[in-house]
Amino acid sequence: GLTKGKTYYVRAYAINAGKEAYSTNEVLLVMLNKDLPMFVYGGSIYNVSADQGAHTWYDASGVCSSLSHAGYSDWYLPDKGELNAMYQNKNSIGGFDNACYWCNDTNGLYAAWYQDFSNGYQGNKAYNKSNLYRVRCVRRED
């Protein structure tokens, strides 16, 4: 009976010898959209879109910003840290190819950062913005 997207606070309690005792710690419980894969990074919860195919870096950000998926339209191309957190959680998120994925970070006019999901390598190469790498968009839950 809990509502998706709503925040609840819970505390534990016990009854012993007819007396109730409550914990002093309050736990935050957020009901997430279970239809979307998610991961936690930097204390925030992120949803992950389905694979959006292979695109140049020039097109990747626009693919995410124009995405409307699962009732949300606030998708964006992840930064290096978010992309690495996706790699670290790739098995629980699912749907990744052993391929390179774009992030929105750049290194000069012609180079952009990417991560190879076959081995975890993260880097940038000169003149790589025209390469066709995979795109997975993210959005923050909070």
Side-chain angles (χ1 to χ4, degrees), residues 51-70:
D51 191 304
Q52 300 299 303
H55 299 275
T56 67
W57 181 86
Y58 300 106
D59 294 333
S61 184
V63 166
C64 291
S65 64
S66 65
L67 179 64
S68 181
H69 176 63

Side-chain angles (χ1 to χ4, degrees), residues 87 90 96-101 115-121:
Y87 173 76
K90 72 178 185 174
F96 289 99
D97 286 342
N98 284 329
C100 294
Y101 286 81
Q115 187 151 5
D116 188 333
F117 273 57
S118 68
N119 59 23
Y121 173 78

Side-chain angles (χ1 to χ4, degrees), residues 116-137:
D116 188 333
F117 273 57
S118 68
N119 59 23
Y121 173 78
Q122 195 175 59
N124 63 75
K125 296 179 183 172
Y127 303 101
N128 73 340
K129 286 183 177 179
S130 295
N131 291 356
L132 293 175
Y133 292 158
R134 314 281 318 163
V135 174
R136 293 286 294 265
C137 309

Side-chain angles (χ1 to χ4, degrees), residues 9-108:
Y9 295 92
V10 294
R11 291 191 317 178
Y13 80 96
I15 300 174
N16 189 9
K19 296 181 180 178
E20 291 183 4
Y22 290 87
S23 69
T24 57
N25 295 334
E26 201 171 67
V27 177
L28 173 65
L29 175 66
V30 179
M31 299 306 297
L32 300 175
N33 184 338
K34 293 181 183 177
D35 301 330
L36 293 172
M38 54 81 63
F39 67 95
V40 176
Y41 171 68
S44 294
I45 300 167
Y46 293 82
N47 295 129
V48 182
S49 76
D51 191 304
Q52 300 299 303
H55 299 275
T56 67
W57 181 86
Y58 300 106
D59 294 333
S61 184
V63 166
C64 291
S65 64
S66 65
L67 179 64
S68 181
H69 176 63
Y72 300 106
S73 58
D74 57 345
W75 298 95
Y76 62 91
L77 192 62
D79 66 24
K80 288 190 300 186
E82 293 161 344
L83 186 62
N84 189 53
M86 288 168 60
Y87 173 76
Q88 292 173 4
N89 292 280
K90 72 178 185 174
N91 292 333
S92 62
I93 295 169
F96 289 99
D97 286 342
N98 284 329
C100 294
Y101 286 81
W102 284 121
C103 71
N104 69 1
D105 294 277
T106 62
N107 186 21

